[in-house]
Amino acid sequence: MGFPRAGLGQAGDAGAAHDAPHAVAGTARAGRRPWVRFALPVLVLLLAPLAGFAQGPSPLPHPDLDISLGGEVYCEVVLPDGSVVVGGSFEAVNGTPRHNLAKIQPNGELDAAWSPTPDGNVYALAADAAGDVYAGGDFTHIGAVVRDYIAKLQGTGTGAVVADWNPSPNAGVYALAADPAGDLYAGGSFTSIGGVSRGYIAKLTGDGVVDTGWNPSADGGIGVMALNSSGDLFVGGAFNFIGGQVRVNLAKLDGTNGAADPEWSPQPDGYIYAMAVDANDDLYIGGIFTAVGGRMRSYLAKLQGTGSGAADSSWNPSPDDYVLDLLADANGDVYVGGYFSQIGGQMRAGIAKLSGGGVGAAYAGWVPSISGVIDALAINADGTALYVGGYLGEPGSLTHAWAALDASTGETGAGGTITVPGTVEAIAEQPDGGTIVGGRFSLANGVERHGLLRLEPDGTLDPAWNPSANDTVTALAVDASGDVYAGGAFFQVGGQARSYIAKLSGTGTGAVDVNWNPSANDWVYALALDSNGNVFAGGSFTAIGGLSRERIARLNGAGYGIADPDWDPGADGVVYSIAVDSSDNVYAGGGFSHIGGQARNFAAKLSNAGMGAVDPDWKPNADGSVQVLLPDDAGHVYAGGNFLYIGGKPRNHIARLSASGAGAADATWDPSADASVRALAMDAAGYLYAGGRFTHIGGQARNYLASLSVRGSGAAGPAWNPSADDIVNALGVSASGTIYAGGAFTKVGGQSRAGLAGFDGSDLIFASGFERP
């Protein structure tokens, strides 16, 4: 069923995505090539209006990779013709644009015409006898038609919105159930619908009018519902009162008057995410609970559909984690989807088929080749095909979100690759001209690349290098031999257990170093190397390399990657950025207020020797987090982040600090971004590039990406304006001088580029030499 677990107020149990700042700096040691520049006449410089240049440059032909991540299917419904409509959070199906809704034909092919295109996630689906489709979610438009949170769509053709059906609730719809009479029950977070006050649940007639006589009026959100053969409605959510009765999170309502059954009160001690009614009108429930119906039952239970709703005394499959959807078939069997890895006495990766009787044993031979987090289940009319949606694939692959299984054998049939745009979080350059890219993605031009990929020197995808991390990569560093250090949220890389940090071969397939395994206990956000091959790591960890280390550590770059026994500055907040200058001084930026036993707000300079003592003088004292630091070879440290004051001066999100003394901000250099700067890089000629959330920097309108002069006030390069359409998280400069940008954008430099693009960095105005550092 897949409703948003955080969308019902008190029922917000699901972990939110970790949205940490990103800080990937191109370093002063990166491979360099002097640019070929043209000396323009002074007259041209004087006459050329700086704001008059068109958007440019265009991105280079390569890379041009569709960086994408597996989308998620939250709900499914089977239509009378055997087609399956899937809803969720996605933007493409098998490479064809489909925004959050798609129709799969009985032969497993995507319906080429049906494309309603809601502008928000779809969490609930239902269908009527005529094959029309009801959709609920958090959208406000479908195509060009205004539809708030719920809509009725034609099940054929293009999936057009039914014009005269528009109840228009005032908040999200997360549960739908259509009865045989043509009425529709809707639940969610709304308090009005169809112009009538309704507390989180309503009954609509076939023409979309609210049934005035049916008003259970819950006091909290509704996330799941199911009808029995008598027309009674079981509902689950985050309520304490419904249908005139005290009922905690689970109730049975009369389908005619909306009253809660006065006896049926199982009283779960947690939340219900899934329901299924069997042929005997008993109810299976799944969710997050440990007791229900008078018995101890974890995550899954079978309840009597009548009487008090007592839990079945024998049926207890006891999964080891959340259940997110349930389906009971005509044969008395139960299909279960969720987060679990064990259920019914068997190991099962997110999906299982259980006996509906006895103890609820899992069928021993029913082991689909898919795995993952299963959010949605549906079955065809004759019970032969089971449709599965969610995050599907091998652990960590996140590439397939929909599949058809043989309901009897579990054999996998047709399936769909359902995707959303991925994001690039980190870029690092190799000495041979290759480029390593890390982030949150699972596909590159349809080729599986999980969190890591390598570009050849010409910008094309390396066909062999494929270490495959099972979660986001947020930090990269490359040593002199081209080997790669990666940090992030992963716990497996290249089929090897690696917690948050790993060392990979920079050639071949990107094999994991079999010995190097510092094994952090939490995210690694920053990596940097010194001239001796030591690896500095920053993040939110409190242990790494076999020792307790508070968010920052120095690791041996060889051997087992053990932490230096002496070097231990210890920060009291997360470290987002680490940079090492040409003298091997270490700079750290983040969200801390103390490091190395000293008060240092968000940035510090550390000794590379001994215990990593804090420089006693260097105190930029920022007033907000520092997300990226970049030392140059001229005694400066460039800083970007969320600050508005640093180095003793007002500086909006970007500053140039002295690398010595107190770390004072340059008195003149002040590009002043209007939002956070998250990435910085410098090319071989000393020109600076910035990426982030800004739309104005260096005195010019610049969307997320800009080149900046290192002279004067730090003006934006007037002819270098690729203008991305979304955030830039990472920057790098290749050995040949190509500027690589990575982030969440889908268009840059006037062309489509999904998350990754390369540019010629030359700027004809700066090329005159007047701005050369």
Side-chain angles (χ1 to χ4, degrees):
M1 75 349 120
F3 67 90
R5 261 69 69 182
L8 299 179
Q10 59 186 331
D13 297 287
H18 204 312
D19 185 21
H22 311 269
V24 183
T27 71
R29 296 179 183 172
R32 294 171 173 172
R33 175 180 66 85
W35 290 351
V36 177
R37 297 180 174 271
F38 299 93
L40 294 183
V42 174
L43 180 62
V44 174
L45 286 172
L46 295 175
L47 296 180
L50 297 185
F53 289 90
Q55 176 181 309
S58 295
L60 298 171
H62 301 293
D64 185 6
L65 303 174
D66 183 9
I67 302 291
S68 58
L69 176 71
E72 188 165 9
V73 169
Y74 297 137
C75 50
E76 302 174 315
V77 66
V78 180
L79 304 187
D81 68 354
S83 297
V84 183
V85 173
V86 297
S89 177
F90 51 85
E91 294 193 14
V93 177
N94 295 338
T96 300
R98 286 294 184 273
H99 197 73
N100 301 334
L101 267 177
K103 181 182 176 185
I104 312 297
Q105 299 179 107
N107 64 0
E109 298 293 327
L110 177 70
D111 189 303
W114 202 86
S115 183
T117 315
D119 65 352
N121 292 347
V122 174
Y123 293 113
L125 289 168
D128 62 19
D132 287 336
V133 177
Y134 299 95
D138 60 12
F139 51 83
T140 57
H141 289 75
I142 293 189
V145 181
V146 175
R147 281 297 182 271
D148 292 326
Y149 310 111
I150 190 169
K152 182 178 182 180
L153 311 169
Q154 292 177 0
T156 57
T158 61
V161 174
V162 175
D164 58 356
W165 197 94
N166 187 18
S168 192
N170 67 342
V173 172
Y174 305 137
L176 295 171
D179 70 13
D183 295 327
L184 181 74
Y185 297 90
S189 57
F190 56 82
T191 55
S192 71
I193 186 171
V196 178
S197 177
R198 283 293 182 271
Y200 306 102
I201 188 168
K203 182 179 182 180
L204 307 173
T205 64
D207 55 7
V209 176
V210 174
D211 186 317
T212 56
W214 198 87
N215 187 16
S217 191
D219 66 349
I222 304 295
V224 61
M225 52 180 59
L227 286 160
N228 69 10
S229 63
S230 301
D232 295 323
L233 184 71
F234 296 101
V235 297
F239 50 81
N240 293 294
F241 189 89
I242 191 171
Q245 302 282 342
V246 174
R247 291 290 184 272
V248 178
N249 302 337
L250 181 62
K252 180 183 178 183
L253 307 176
D254 188 289
T256 302
N257 59 33
D261 188 299
E263 298 181 34
W264 199 87
S265 184
Q267 300 185 67
D269 64 352
Y271 302 111
I272 310 303
Y273 292 161
M275 290 181 171
V277 177
D278 69 11
N280 298 316
D281 278 343
D282 288 332
L283 180 71
Y284 298 89
I285 61 168
I288 303 177
F289 52 82
T290 58
V292 66
R295 296 186 183 276
M296 301 302 295
R297 291 290 185 270
S298 295
Y299 306 116
L300 182 61
K302 180 181 181 180
L303 308 177
Q304 292 179 0
T306 57
S308 66
D312 188 287
S313 59
S314 301
W315 201 86
N316 188 16
S318 193
D320 62 351
D321 213 331
Y322 301 1
V323 168
L324 296 177
D325 207 7
L326 291 165
L327 190 150
D329 71 11
N331 300 318
D333 295 322
V334 180
Y335 300 90
V336 186
Y339 283 101
F340 53 82
S341 58
Q342 183 173 309
I343 188 172
Q346 302 284 339
M347 300 300 294
R348 293 290 184 270
I351 186 168
K353 181 179 180 178
L354 310 177
S355 170
V359 298
Y363 280 85
W366 201 86
V367 187
S369 59
I370 62 169
S371 60
V373 178
I374 310 303
D375 276 298
L377 298 167
I379 199 164
N380 67 351
D382 62 10
T384 59
L386 179 71
Y387 304 108
V388 179
Y391 281 134
L392 311 183
E394 292 302 316
S397 70
L398 307 184
T399 55
H400 293 76
W402 179 84
L405 309 179
D406 185 301
S408 177
T409 66
E411 182 178 351
T412 305
T417 301
I418 295 181
T419 58
V420 295
T423 59
V424 169
E425 314 280 354
I427 295 173
E429 304 299 339
Q430 295 180 293
D432 67 353
T435 300
I436 306 299
V437 178
R440 181 166 172 78
F441 50 81
S442 55
L443 293 169
N445 278 4
V447 178
E448 291 201 27
R449 288 292 185 273
H450 305 299
L452 285 162
L453 63 83
R454 179 181 183 273
L455 301 177
E456 301 277 21
D458 65 358
T460 59
L461 181 68
D462 186 314
W465 201 86
N466 185 18
S468 191
N470 76 326
D471 209 330
T472 309
V473 173
T474 52
L476 292 168
V478 172
D479 66 18
S481 68
D483 287 341
V484 179
Y485 299 87
F490 53 82
F491 56 86
Q492 189 178 80
V493 180
Q496 303 292 320
R498 289 293 184 274
S499 297
Y500 306 103
I501 188 168
K503 181 180 180 180
L504 315 168
S505 171
T507 60
T509 61
V512 177
D513 188 297
V514 295
N515 296 317
W516 203 86
N517 188 12
S519 190
N521 69 344
D522 207 341
W523 281 53
V524 171
Y525 293 130
L527 292 169
L529 297 170
D530 67 13
S531 62
N532 295 313
N534 294 310
V535 179
F536 294 87
S540 54
F541 54 81
T542 56
I544 191 171
L547 295 173
S548 296
R549 287 293 181 269
E550 296 289 334
R551 303 171 188 88
I552 188 168
R554 184 172 75 178
L555 310 172
N556 190 331
Y560 296 96
I562 61 174
D564 187 289
D566 299 318
W567 202 90
D568 185 17
D572 67 349
V574 64
V575 173
Y576 292 132
S577 178
I578 298 179
V580 180
D581 68 16
S582 57
S583 299
D584 276 347
N585 295 304
V586 180
Y587 299 87
F592 52 82
S593 60
H594 285 75
I595 188 169
Q598 302 293 322
R600 290 293 185 274
N601 290 325
F602 307 112
K605 181 180 180 181
L606 310 171
S607 171
N608 198 331
M611 298 176 64
V614 176
D615 186 295
D617 300 318
W618 205 81
K619 300 178 183 179
N621 196 30
D623 67 347
S625 65
V626 172
Q627 296 179 334
V628 58
L629 291 165
L630 174 63
D632 67 11
D633 292 330
H636 307 124
V637 178
Y638 294 89
N642 289 319
F643 53 82
L644 301 177
Y645 188 94
I646 191 171
K649 296 185 183 299
R651 289 293 182 267
N652 293 331
H653 307 291
I654 186 168
R656 183 167 71 190
L657 310 174
S658 172
S660 60
D666 188 287
T668 304
W669 199 86
D670 185 16
S672 190
D674 64 348
S676 64
V677 172
R678 295 158 70 94
L680 295 168
M682 188 170 284
D683 70 9
Y687 295 99
L688 186 68
Y689 299 85
R693 294 186 180 274
F694 54 81
T695 57
H696 195 279
I697 190 171
Q700 301 287 337
R702 291 291 183 271
N703 291 327
Y704 311 107
L705 182 60
S707 68
L708 302 173
S709 170
V710 295
R711 300 289 296 273
S713 65
W720 205 87
N721 181 20
S723 191
D725 66 350
D726 208 338
I727 186 171
V728 171
N729 293 322
L731 292 168
V733 182
S734 76
S736 63
T738 298
I739 311 302
Y740 286 105
F745 51 82
T746 58
K747 190 173 184 180
V748 64
Q751 296 187 23
S752 296
R753 289 292 186 275
L756 183 63
F759 300 92
D760 183 338
S762 59
D763 183 318
L764 297 182
I765 294 298
F766 281 10
S768 66
F770 285 99
E771 295 291 343
R772 189 181 299 276

